[in-house]
Amino acid sequence: MVVLRREIGDVLRDARQRQGRTLREVSSAARVSLGYLSEVERGQKEASSELLSSICDALDVPMSLVLREVSDRIAVAEGLLVPDTVPADLAAAVDGDTGRSWMQTRAELAPVG
């Protein structure tokens, strides 16, 4: 069975590790205790939308990308085909909002292995 909090935690941990950042750095930036962030990353605690937003801000990763990656992982677990395309208007909006390309940001969140 797919557990949403575990998938969210995995995506957040993967993004943090790809940035080479520690739990301490991100927890401080997100203003959440190190222990609580660790529990969120391990899927032991359910992050509120406010907390998830704060963690995403600390990681400088749009929450929409985190949720999309979670959605894609769940779709794969359910045996659904996940298209690897992004509508041009969405890609342009993300690029304009963050100054980073969609594909660069998406690669940071891609599953390992």
Side-chain angles (χ1 to χ4, degrees):
M1 174 172 63
V2 176
V3 178
L4 183 60
R5 69 176 181 268
R6 287 189 195 138
E7 295 300 326
I8 290 171
D10 286 347
V11 171
L12 292 173
R13 183 180 51 251
D14 289 348
R16 178 182 58 78
Q17 289 175 339
R18 281 192 176 83
Q19 293 177 10
R21 297 177 65 193
T22 65
L23 274 169
R24 186 171 309 281
E25 292 169 337
V26 175
S27 69
S28 177
R31 295 184 177 186
V32 61
S33 75
L34 186 145
Y36 198 82
L37 178 58
S38 175
E39 289 180 309
V40 168
E41 283 191 0
R42 288 181 282 137
Q44 295 177 336
K45 293 287 184 185
E46 197 92 39
S48 68
S49 58
E50 292 86 358
L51 178 62
L52 182 57
S53 177
S54 182
I55 295 167
C56 289
D57 287 347
L59 291 169
D60 194 31
V61 175
M63 186 167 35
S64 60
L65 293 183
V66 169
L67 295 176
R68 180 181 169 122
E69 180 64 27
V70 169
S71 176
D72 289 353
R73 289 177 181 218
I74 291 171
V76 168
E78 294 174 338
L80 300 175
L81 178 64
V82 179
D84 194 23
T85 60
V86 178
D89 58 337
L90 178 59
V94 170
D95 187 34
D97 290 346
T98 65
R100 301 167 74 195
S101 74
W102 168 270
M103 295 309 292
Q104 176 187 13
T105 306
R106 180 84 171 139
E108 291 177 3
L109 299 176
V112 177

